[in-house]
Amino acid sequence: MMSFIVHAVMAILLLCSMIGYFKLVGKKLKLLPEFVPVFVFSSIACVVYIGGIFNLLLPGAILVFFVGLISFAYFLSKTCLKKECIHFKITFFQAMFFIGSMFFLYLLSISKLTHYDNFSHWAIALKVILSTNAFPTAASELIDFKNYPLGTTSFLYYICRFAGHSQAVMLIGQGLLIFACFYGIFGIIKEKKRFLLYGFLGAGCSVLSFFNITIRINNLLVDFILPIYTLVLFVIAYRYKDCMKKACICTVPIAGLLMIVKNTGTIYAGIGLLFLVYQWLKNREKPLLKTGIMLLSSISASFLPYVLWSFHMAVSFQGVKNKFDVSADTLNNASAGKSGEDINNIVTLFVKSALDLNTRPALGVLAFHVAVILTMIFTITVLKKKWNLWKALIALDVVLISYYLGILALYIFSMPLDEAIRLAGFDRYASSIVVLFAGGLILCATVDIENTFYYRMNEVPDYRAFKTVESKDRYQKGVIGVIGVSMALLMSEYNGMYTIQKGYETTLPYEVKAVTGDRWYKKGDVDQSKYLFYATDRDSQVTNYYMQYLGKYMLYAPHVDGICAFYEDNMTNLLSGYDYLVMVESDTPAKYLLKKHYGVTGGEGIYKIITSGGEGAEKKVELVPQT
């Protein structure tokens, strides 16, 4: 009870600290309200991350926390001294967005981690950092993929350090980043009273969840963060095209964090930065040289986190072999580690997968091409308007094709053969770029719609904002239609996440945690005991190493092996090599053999292995059930 109260108080103080930063950024930088949360969260993540690079992770987090609290106290005291009432000016859109976000954040607050990659990297990396208050080193036995950047992990560390380290808090931290990005995307709308624009863009953002089905937001994977962060960069570049100073200020922490979200983050950040350069060249804000230097400086500054990570890897992980490392020899010889037949099979499967209309990414690409073509025909023949949507389609097609070629190169040159031959992770890679592709088109369509209205808001009284009564009627019906689509898609996403959470007790993570618990040790001490996990191999949960990763995460132990069947003549020899036997799932053959040879029931639980004999004497094993 006391622990809950402490975490609740700290969570409230953390919220106050963030509000302090919101007020500070809003007052000093005068950014659009939509950009403030994503700017603040990205800045916090980058500062904490830089602290981790220089072995000052905890001091950096504490400093960020208290500076935010001081800012909050300053603005609160200033308001009290002026004897002003604290009032919040909230628009209808902001209220709707807040309510919708709370539904999903509540669901995240009762959710648990289930996805494989949470336990193979993202969650275990966060657990190590929270346990040691330091970035992993080359000696960190629990983390297999040490070259994965720690951008979002740094932000989650900051949230969990003060609000608690439960899986739900981890998910809420990730959710804050995601919903801050969605809020920032709405900053592209200039005419705030045109609710049709909010409804259309809201429906478009809801559509993105359709292509995010393989990722979802109820896990710590970052494949969805990559494209929506890039979309925010698009919006910032567009809204501040006539104020390059603000565009550059906003870009630095957002692009900086994007580059250290994942190894491919530099690609997505590069796309966003290229669009910023395009806007600068297109608008030629005066003085051109001064704004050019400012732009170059901001782009250079945004590369700082990535450069620091590369330096950190070169110094701290020298000689460590990492996943997806590409050597000069590999680049000089495309078939390194793969035969010509292997490469041919990879290319064939890749093309087939990329064009398979039974998959959501391929279906989405086709659907959006058809939608754009039909829309352009309608606007030219009926509305008599010139939209820029077709230009966006061409540009995004170039991005899409280039990205797919890059993925293919990854499979051929870098990825291990056993993963490349089955295109491991292709659904996530494809979903990420299709989210960016679709999101870019939706943003452009929103701008085109905004520019299509006959009257501009504030040019005439609100009651005269429509050319005719019929156009107002169509407008109102359009608002109802897009809101209906948004609600349907959001409810579908919510119900999908709820169904996953409702079925948690049937998942392997639940079964493992029920037996082992979720262990956290003071000072980050690692459990060096050797564990042998036993379970049936349904859904390949043992042979694909899922159960073993779960065991490592839950026990905070690096030495975890898995088995799905006992062989009677080798049982004693096998068990003698371990300190504990963990029965995650039991079956009749296992129970029979364990009862016959060791006198235990063989039910789910942990058994301490006591070995005696050996070196000439007969080796004996005793199993002692643990509570």
Side-chain angles (χ1 to χ4, degrees):
M1 184 62 181
M2 182 58 68
S3 176
F4 173 78
I5 294 174
V6 170
H7 284 311
V9 171
M10 292 303 296
I12 293 172
L13 291 176
L14 181 64
L15 179 61
C16 292
S17 178
M18 288 181 174
I19 293 174
Y21 281 116
F22 291 165
K23 296 289 291 183
L24 181 65
V25 170
K27 291 286 186 181
K28 300 300 182 182
L29 300 182
K30 301 187 184 305
L31 301 181
L32 289 173
E34 291 88 350
F35 299 151
V36 170
V38 68
F39 178 86
V40 169
F41 293 161
S42 301
S43 300
I44 288 173
C46 287
V47 171
V48 173
Y49 162 86
I50 292 173
I53 291 289
F54 291 102
N55 295 319
L56 296 170
L57 188 61
L58 182 58
I62 293 174
L63 177 64
V64 171
F65 178 72
F66 278 106
V67 169
L69 280 180
I70 292 171
S71 177
F72 176 80
Y74 169 77
F75 286 106
L76 186 63
S77 61
K78 193 174 180 181
T79 302
C80 293
L81 287 174
K82 289 183 178 180
K83 297 181 180 180
E84 297 176 352
C85 294
I86 299 176
H87 62 278
F88 298 96
K89 185 179 180 181
I90 300 178
T91 65
F92 181 67
F93 158 71
Q94 290 172 331
M96 293 293 290
F97 186 89
F98 178 79
I99 292 171
S101 300
M102 287 299 102
F103 272 102
F104 282 94
L105 290 175
Y106 165 74
L107 189 56
L108 292 177
S109 72
I110 59 173
S111 295
K112 302 290 190 299
L113 301 173
T114 56
H115 195 285
Y116 180 100
D117 283 353
N118 287 311
F119 304 102
S120 66
H121 177 73
W122 300 108
I124 188 64
L126 178 57
K127 189 171 186 176
V128 169
I129 295 172
L130 283 168
S131 299
T132 61
N133 288 312
F135 278 1
T137 65
S140 299
E141 300 175 278
L142 286 163
I143 300 177
D144 289 346
F145 312 125
K146 297 180 174 66
N147 64 328
Y148 280 23
L150 299 170
T152 54
T153 310
S154 296
F155 181 75
L156 298 185
Y157 166 83
Y158 175 75
I159 298 296
C160 295
R161 183 74 286 153
F162 300 107
H165 54 229
S166 69
Q167 293 181 11
V169 175
M170 296 177 185
L171 290 170
I172 290 174
Q174 186 97 325
L176 290 175
L177 285 177
I178 291 172
F179 285 104
C181 286
F182 277 125
Y183 188 54
I185 287 172
F186 281 92
I188 202 166
I189 298 173
K190 294 179 180 178
E191 299 200 14
K192 304 300 183 183
K193 294 182 180 180
R194 297 284 190 186
F195 202 76
L196 177 64
L197 299 174
Y198 286 103
F200 176 80
L201 188 52
C205 290
S206 302
V207 168
L208 299 184
S209 66
F210 177 81
F211 305 108
N212 187 41
I213 198 72
T214 59
I215 310 169
R216 294 229 184 246
I217 66 170
N218 58 343
N219 58 70
L220 303 184
L221 278 67
V222 299
D223 302 85
F224 190 51
I225 289 178
L226 293 170
I228 60 175
Y229 248 80
T230 309
L231 293 176
V232 172
L233 288 177
F234 287 169
V235 175
I236 290 171
Y238 173 77
R239 283 306 307 272
Y240 288 142
K241 60 187 177 182
D242 297 322
C243 184
M244 193 53 60
K245 181 179 179 180
K246 286 188 177 182
C248 292
I249 291 173
C250 283
T251 295
V252 173
I254 295 173
L257 178 60
L258 181 54
M259 290 190 196
I260 53 172
V261 166
K262 198 176 181 181
N263 293 329
T264 53
T266 51
I267 299 174
Y268 285 88
I271 296 169
L273 292 173
L274 281 175
F275 185 71
L276 177 62
V277 173
Y278 165 76
Q279 290 293 342
W280 172 70
L281 292 173
K282 180 182 177 183
N283 293 279
R284 295 184 179 88
E285 182 186 347
K286 305 294 184 181
L288 191 63
L289 179 61
K290 182 179 179 180
T291 56
I293 293 174
M294 188 188 306
L295 177 63
L296 182 61
S297 300
S298 69
I299 292 175
S300 301
S302 66
F303 271 89
L304 178 62
Y306 175 75
V307 171
L308 287 175
W309 179 254
S310 300
F311 177 77
H312 176 67
M313 290 299 301
V315 173
S316 301
F317 295 89
Q318 189 174 11
V320 176
K321 181 67 177 176
N322 289 300
K323 190 176 183 180
F324 303 151
D325 278 349
V326 181
S327 65
D329 292 338
T330 304
L331 290 175
N332 290 331
N333 182 9
S335 62
K338 302 179 181 72
S339 66
E341 183 180 357
D342 290 332
I343 294 176
N344 184 60
N345 290 336
I346 292 171
V347 172
T348 301
L349 180 59
F350 182 89
V351 173
K352 181 180 178 182
S353 300
L355 300 178
D356 185 4
L357 294 180
N358 291 319
T359 63
R360 294 190 180 217
L363 182 62
V365 171
L366 176 62
F368 271 88
H369 273 86
V370 172
V372 170
I373 293 171
L374 294 177
T375 300
M376 292 310 301
I377 293 173
F378 175 78
T379 55
I380 293 172
T381 59
V382 178
L383 298 180
K384 309 297 182 181
K385 296 287 184 178
K386 292 182 179 180
W387 281 18
N388 293 317
L389 193 56
W390 66 273
K391 297 178 183 179
L393 179 63
I394 293 173
L396 289 167
D397 272 336
V398 172
V399 170
L400 184 70
I401 293 170
S402 301
Y403 187 85
Y404 268 105
L405 291 175
I407 298 175
L408 179 58
L410 172 71
Y411 287 120
I412 294 175
F413 292 108
S414 182
M415 191 173 287
L417 177 60
D418 62 324
E419 296 186 21
I421 203 69
R422 57 185 172 86
L423 299 185
F426 176 79
D427 286 344
R428 294 208 311 276
Y429 298 145
S431 294
S432 291
I433 196 61
V434 171
V435 167
L436 177 62
F437 174 80
L441 291 175
I442 291 166
L443 288 176
C444 186
T446 303
V447 173
D448 283 338
I449 294 172
E450 187 176 50
N451 294 332
T452 301
F453 288 112
Y454 190 80
Y455 292 111
R456 316 303 300 173
M457 298 300 292
N458 301 322
E459 289 182 358
V460 294
D462 290 354
Y463 68 89
R464 291 180 54 196
F466 300 93
K467 184 178 181 181
T468 64
V469 175
E470 290 77 12
S471 63
K472 182 176 182 179
D473 181 63
R474 289 194 296 269
Y475 176 89
Q476 292 172 335
K477 290 178 179 178
V479 171
I480 294 172
V482 292
I483 290 178
V485 172
S486 300
M487 293 299 296
L489 291 171
L490 287 175
M491 285 304 299
S492 175
E493 177 71 7
Y494 183 90
N495 289 333
M497 291 173 56
Y498 179 74
T499 300
I500 292 174
Q501 173 56 30
K502 192 175 180 180
Y504 177 70
E505 293 187 3
T506 65
T507 64
L508 186 63
Y510 173 82
E511 293 178 348
V512 173
K513 186 178 179 180
V515 174
T516 65
D518 186 359
R519 304 185 184 184
W520 294 74
Y521 297 104
K522 292 182 178 180
K523 299 181 181 179
D525 293 333
V526 175
D527 184 352
Q528 293 293 345
S529 300
K530 296 181 180 180
Y531 292 88
L532 179 64
F533 276 57
Y534 181 94
T536 60
D537 198 28
R538 60 185 173 92
D539 300 324
S540 302
Q541 62 187 16
V542 178
T543 52
N544 70 4
Y545 216 69
Y546 184 26
M547 181 177 67
Q548 292 88 313
Y549 278 128
L550 277 164
K552 286 184 176 184
Y553 176 85
M554 296 298 180
L555 292 170
Y556 203 68
H559 306 298
V560 175
D561 291 322
I563 192 172
C564 55
F566 286 118
Y567 296 94
E568 188 170 9
D569 56 350
N570 191 47
M571 282 185 68
T572 297
N573 183 55
L574 173 67
L575 294 174
S576 64
Y578 296 91
D579 299 307
Y580 294 94
L581 170 65
V582 182
M583 298 294 293
V584 176
E585 295 175 354
S586 193
D587 52 21
T588 302
K591 289 180 178 179
Y592 169 76
L593 291 174
L594 291 173
K595 180 69 174 178
K596 175 182 177 181
H597 292 281
Y598 310 109
V600 294
T601 62
E604 287 80 3
I606 299 178
Y607 299 84
K608 183 173 178 58
I609 301 173
I610 301 175
T611 305
S612 59
E615 296 184 5
E618 183 181 358
K619 188 178 293 186
K620 295 182 179 180
V621 165
E622 179 184 358
L623 298 182
V624 180
Q626 304 293 292
T627 56

